Amino acid sequence: MGRVTHLVSPTGTDAGAGSVAAAPRVRGALRHAAPALLVYAGVRALGLVVLAVWGAVDGKDPHQLLSARWDSLWYSRIAEDGYGYTLHLGGDKVHSDLAFFPLLPWLERGLSALFPLSAADAGLVVSAVSSLCAAWAVFLIGDRCHGRRAGIALAALWAALPVGIVQSMAYSESLFTALAAWGVYCVLTGRWVWAGSLAALAGLTRPVGAAVVAAVWITAAAVLWRERRKPGARMLLGAVLAPLGWLAYVAWVGVRTGSVTGYLDVQGGWGNGFDGGVAFGSFVAGRLAGPAWPAGVGLLIGVALVVWLYAKGVRQRQPLPLLVYGGTVLLLALTAKGYFGSKPRLMMPAFPLLLPLAVAVSRLRTVRAVLTVAPVVLVSAVYGALWLHGSGPP
């Protein structure tokens, strides 16, 4: 059973203890998180080394694989030229860059203006820094809920996801997870203004920023109901701030396209949208009914595993913000239509799903825990290299 099962810390506050004590607190927090950050960096470094070796054998440039393929090309183009590029394909498919939220390309443009970096390289820098920030917040959440060993295990497992290589690409997943994880941590500790601000930034990064907004709103409502009180000024401000990033971009796309449903129309041009999982279910059924039935079975096992992990978290009485955030990310990923190979990547920010596994690992002796996680890390490194040298993440 976790150490913390209440909704938020009763002592959490936005006020802080003053700037004088801030620096020692940060240094102390970094020392406390250092083992988790080192483990995380080591896991990701191994993945990059394997990718580089594979690339040397296969004659492909690892830098190009990480920074100049798929979505990273769209982000770089937006950073360099702004919005306005549309790719017309056959049928009803119209790929507009308005499908991509603006925070990552803004950061790429800013960094490339300040330093001698291309937009693509700036994207790699953003991912490298933000992935460490994400690992720090993931560790803190695991530490708060189940102790330091669980926090370290949680950071290691998040790094060792089969699609963990995306954390090192010029994609928006690392940036989003950093903002989301810190936002959820602020909800856990009652820092409502910070939580709302981070939720707003997450909403400028990916559409699934709505999951962070849900964590802020539902937890705030639960706290008010439990304590039978009216919202304080900081809680109210945090709740107001939370959806502004997502709403601002969707509204801007609506104005740009001249349609209230402009953003939905843009996503529809990419073949994306939400249909309650009908398209995904049909995709799995089609695999099961044909010669690719092993792939269909694998998909069913994968879905069953993530649902089981979520149910396990509920039984372990994870704090409400984690359940809301992780559950919303999972729900949005499974009910979206579009390219189904991207679903593992879409679920990557749902780090709370890994908490039951992290708790189990943390209860092992250190040597046994290392021996348990090491094969997962190796498989993840090899799979990441195989993935990028094959079809890769869409």
Side-chain angles (χ1 to χ4, degrees), residues 21-93:
R25 286 204 308 272
V26 171
R27 287 195 296 269
L30 273 172
R31 283 195 297 269
H32 185 65
L37 296 180
L38 289 172
V39 168
Y40 174 82
V43 173
R44 295 295 349 118
L46 177 63
L48 293 176
V49 168
V50 173
L51 178 66
V53 172
W54 198 304
V57 174
D58 200 37
K60 293 184 179 179
D61 181 10
H63 177 269
Q64 191 266 341
L65 294 176
L66 293 170
S67 65
R69 295 178 74 184
W70 306 295
D71 290 8
S72 54
L73 290 173
W74 288 87
Y75 284 122
S76 295
R77 184 181 287 113
I78 295 168
E80 294 168 348
D81 303 324
Y83 284 99
Y85 180 78
T86 301
L87 183 63
H88 294 273
L89 303 175
D92 296 328
K93 290 188 176 182

Side-chain angles (χ1 to χ4, degrees), residues 44-354:
R44 295 295 349 118
L46 177 63
L48 293 176
V49 168
V50 173
L51 178 66
V53 172
W54 198 304
V57 174
D58 200 37
K60 293 184 179 179
D61 181 10
H63 177 269
Q64 191 266 341
L65 294 176
L66 293 170
S67 65
R69 295 178 74 184
W70 306 295
D71 290 8
S72 54
L73 290 173
W74 288 87
Y75 284 122
S76 295
R77 184 181 287 113
I78 295 168
E80 294 168 348
D81 303 324
Y83 284 99
Y85 180 78
T86 301
L87 183 63
H88 294 273
L89 303 175
D92 296 328
K93 290 188 176 182
V94 179
H95 290 184
S96 167
D97 58 9
L98 293 174
F100 297 89
F101 277 53
L103 186 56
L104 177 57
W106 284 350
L107 293 175
E108 290 179 342
R109 173 175 285 190
L111 283 176
S112 59
L114 292 173
F115 303 100
L117 294 170
S118 66
D121 287 338
L124 291 179
V125 172
V126 172
S127 288
V129 174
S130 59
S131 65
L132 282 170
C133 292
W136 190 0
V138 167
F139 160 75
L140 287 176
I141 289 171
D143 179 31
R144 182 176 183 84
C145 293
H146 296 281
R148 193 183 191 196
R149 286 172 60 86
I152 295 172
L154 185 60
L157 291 172
W158 186 66
L161 285 171
V163 293
I165 190 66
V166 176
Q167 297 166 20
S168 302
M169 297 179 68
Y171 269 45
S172 61
E173 272 75 11
S174 290
L175 177 61
F176 173 78
T177 306
L179 295 168
W182 279 105
V184 171
Y185 179 73
C186 287
V187 175
L188 278 171
T189 55
R191 295 172 170 87
W192 294 106
V193 176
W194 276 107
S197 301
L198 289 163
L201 290 173
L204 282 172
T205 308
R206 295 189 63 80
V208 75
V212 193
V213 178
V216 173
W217 282 1
I218 293 176
T219 305
V223 169
L224 296 177
W225 179 82
R226 184 190 64 183
E227 299 180 0
R228 298 293 194 274
R229 64 178 175 88
K230 295 182 179 180
R234 291 183 178 277
M235 180 185 285
L236 188 60
L237 178 57
V240 171
L241 288 171
L244 294 186
W246 189 90
L247 288 174
Y249 183 68
V250 170
W252 180 80
V253 172
V255 172
R256 176 107 176 196
T257 59
S259 172
V260 175
T261 62
Y263 182 74
L264 296 178
D265 297 337
V266 167
Q267 287 290 350
W270 281 81
N272 297 328
F274 296 95
D275 62 359
V278 173
F280 183 48
S282 299
F283 178 79
V284 175
R287 293 299 181 275
L288 290 172
W293 64 265
V297 173
L299 287 170
L300 286 179
I301 293 174
V303 172
L305 176 61
V306 295
V307 172
W308 177 83
L309 286 172
Y310 183 77
K312 184 72 172 178
V314 173
R315 291 195 298 271
Q316 287 182 340
R317 299 181 64 193
Q318 283 184 15
L320 183 61
L322 298 181
L323 294 175
V324 172
Y325 167 74
T328 304
V329 173
L330 179 61
L331 179 65
L332 292 176
L334 293 180
T335 59
K337 60 181 180 180
Y339 185 71
F340 302 111
S342 65
K343 288 193 180 295
R345 177 171 63 89
L346 297 178
M347 287 189 283
M348 191 178 69
F351 63 89
L353 296 177
L354 299 171

